[in-house]
Amino acid sequence: MNFLVRYCHAVLLAAFVIVLASCGHNAGKKIISGEAQGTYYAITYYDSQNRDIGAAIDSILADFDQTASLWVGNSLIRRINDNSDSVMSPMFCDMLDKALRVSRLSGGYFDCTVGKLVNAWGFGFRQGSNLDSSTVDSLRQYTGLPLTIVESAGNRILRKTNPETELDFNAIAQGYSVDVIADFLSRKGIANYIIDVGGEVIAKGAKPDGSAWVVGVERPAEEKFAERQIEITVNLRNESIVTSGNYRKFYEKDGVKYSHTIDPLTGYPVNHSLLSVSVVADSAWKADAFATAFMAMGMEKALEYIKDNKEIKSAYFIYNENGEYKTYATPEFEKRIVTK
């Protein structure tokens, strides 16, 4: 049984939020922004009480990092990976449940047990090393292994089949954090808002004039530090969009380009023509996870999956065909496109 999730932050992505609000409709409009998870966050919301929630958002994201960030030395995921702790918090357990579900649905292309491989390839919090096929094979023995969750004294305990297995939630955590913020806003009675954490976006309600939120999908760049350009814009209503891509997160060595997206079935960075895929779903964690899974699969397998799946139907692919950018939108995604 393959267990779950992703191998690197594949959300570099897509989505600069374009908040198009008409003059005269800005009563109660608030915009806050800051830094979190090694990236930015930006939130636009409408609140009749004109509340400033910036400090609360910073606190939520700081607490979230203590649970799921591999870059926080004493985070829960680091303690579980180091086998110094095994008691899961409710949030950690929920993320793991969701990750395992996507792993099963994707046939193992989404796998959260790839922590050692991600670090070995140089895309984690540890320094990578020179890899050969025997090293990759030796690290793969720690991935795809069953994880057992047991109840003990009211706690949920994680048992790893092999203590050397390391979890990596990077392909689901940022999307999950967007959903956590969205839940906080909704509980505060704020119904109309758009949240962007490092390009992972969720939009709820509408703008004051009743129109949908508009979000841009990034055009793949030829250079990792190139200026960002918008490929298309899409309407969002009570949905999330996340883009996974390989065009900014990579490194070159001896003339070979290594993508940050690791195929957990082979242990190697993916090597195919798909440059990015944007997924629209009802939650950010789901869009995040499936965007990564589709990048690992490649376009052909991803389209086969979408054809046979009722849950994920809206996706936009940008790929390289003989040196030229090509695009494909599923029919459900096509309905959301505003401008090309």
Side-chain angles (χ1 to χ4, degrees):
M1 195 174 189
N2 290 315
F3 288 86
L4 162 265
V5 81
R6 176 208 206 154
Y7 353 92
C8 243
H9 226 289
V11 161
L12 43 81
L13 109 271
F16 301 107
V17 178
I18 305 172
V19 182
L20 304 176
S22 302
C23 295
H25 290 283
N26 290 332
K29 179 180 178 180
K30 301 282 285 185
I31 301 175
I32 60 173
S33 61
E35 297 180 359
Q37 302 175 22
T39 183
Y40 68 91
Y41 74 81
I43 304 171
T44 297
Y45 62 100
Y46 291 89
D47 179 22
S48 60
Q49 299 181 46
N50 203 34
R51 290 167 289 184
D52 187 345
I53 59 171
I57 297 301
D58 287 336
S59 178
I60 289 170
L61 289 171
D63 289 345
F64 184 83
D65 280 352
Q66 289 295 326
T67 297
S69 175
L70 289 168
W71 280 263
V72 175
N74 196 41
S75 66
L76 179 54
I77 193 170
R78 286 281 293 272
R79 299 199 306 273
I80 285 177
N81 282 346
D82 294 341
N83 300 303
S84 61
D85 200 346
S86 60
V87 178
M88 297 184 291
S89 69
M91 180 183 292
F92 188 99
C93 195
D94 187 47
M95 258 188 291
L96 180 61
D97 284 343
K98 287 176 166 55
L100 298 181
R101 177 171 177 265
V102 179
S103 182
R104 292 191 294 270
L105 291 173
S106 67
Y109 278 102
F110 187 75
D111 190 339
C112 65
T113 66
V114 296
K116 282 188 177 293
L117 279 169
V118 170
N119 283 313
W121 281 108
F123 293 108
F125 69 95
R126 296 195 185 102
Q127 184 66 37
S129 58
N130 294 326
L131 295 187
D132 54 28
S133 59
S134 61
T135 304
V136 172
D137 288 343
S138 69
L139 293 175
R140 284 186 63 209
Q141 69 180 305
Y142 307 127
T143 67
L145 298 176
L147 304 172
T148 304
I149 301 172
V150 299
E151 298 282 347
S152 177
N155 294 317
R156 300 193 76 183
I157 309 297
L158 179 64
R159 304 294 189 207
K160 295 186 285 186
T161 300
N162 190 313
E164 292 297 317
T165 294
E166 293 186 5
L167 302 180
D168 186 329
F169 282 163
N170 280 342
I172 195 172
Q174 196 159 298
Y176 192 98
S177 72
V178 171
D179 293 327
V180 170
I181 297 171
D183 181 65
F184 169 77
L185 292 179
S186 296
R187 286 187 285 107
K188 287 289 185 181
I190 299 171
N192 302 300
Y193 56 82
I194 187 164
I195 302 165
D196 175 3
V197 178
E200 311 207 11
V201 176
I202 194 166
K204 292 288 187 177
K207 290 179 287 186
D209 62 1
S211 62
W213 299 98
V214 181
V215 176
V217 173
E218 183 181 349
R219 179 179 176 83
E222 295 184 6
E223 302 292 338
K224 65 172 64 179
F225 299 114
E227 184 178 347
R228 296 178 186 269
Q229 296 181 348
I230 298 299
E231 173 73 18
I232 58 170
T233 59
V234 297
N235 281 331
L236 284 189
R237 290 182 184 271
N238 300 317
E239 295 171 311
S240 175
I241 185 170
V242 172
T243 299
S244 178
N246 288 325
Y247 50 91
R248 289 190 187 271
K249 279 196 172 183
F250 65 87
Y251 65 83
E252 294 187 37
K253 185 175 181 180
D254 300 327
V256 179
K257 182 182 288 187
Y258 294 94
S259 160
H260 80 286
T261 301
I262 308 300
D263 180 348
L265 302 185
T266 67
Y268 287 84
V270 299
N271 182 22
H272 49 56
S273 63
L274 186 57
L275 299 174
S276 74
V277 55
S278 302
V279 173
V280 174
D282 57 6
S283 58
W285 75 262
K286 190 181 297 181
D288 193 0
F290 277 101
T292 301
F294 291 165
M295 278 303 303
M297 291 180 190
M299 184 170 168
E300 184 177 349
K301 290 181 180 178
L303 287 173
E304 289 177 1
Y305 181 90
I306 292 171
K307 179 180 177 182
D308 298 329
N309 184 272
K310 295 181 179 179
E311 192 169 12
I312 302 295
K313 304 299 291 184
S314 184
Y316 184 77
F317 299 86
I318 303 178
Y319 59 99
N320 186 316
E321 186 177 272
N322 300 321
E324 293 186 19
Y325 284 168
K326 300 287 185 178
T327 65
Y328 176 78
T330 64
E332 282 298 316
F333 193 97
E334 188 75 37
K335 298 175 184 177
R336 296 171 171 81
I337 295 177
V338 181
T339 60
K340 293 185 178 181

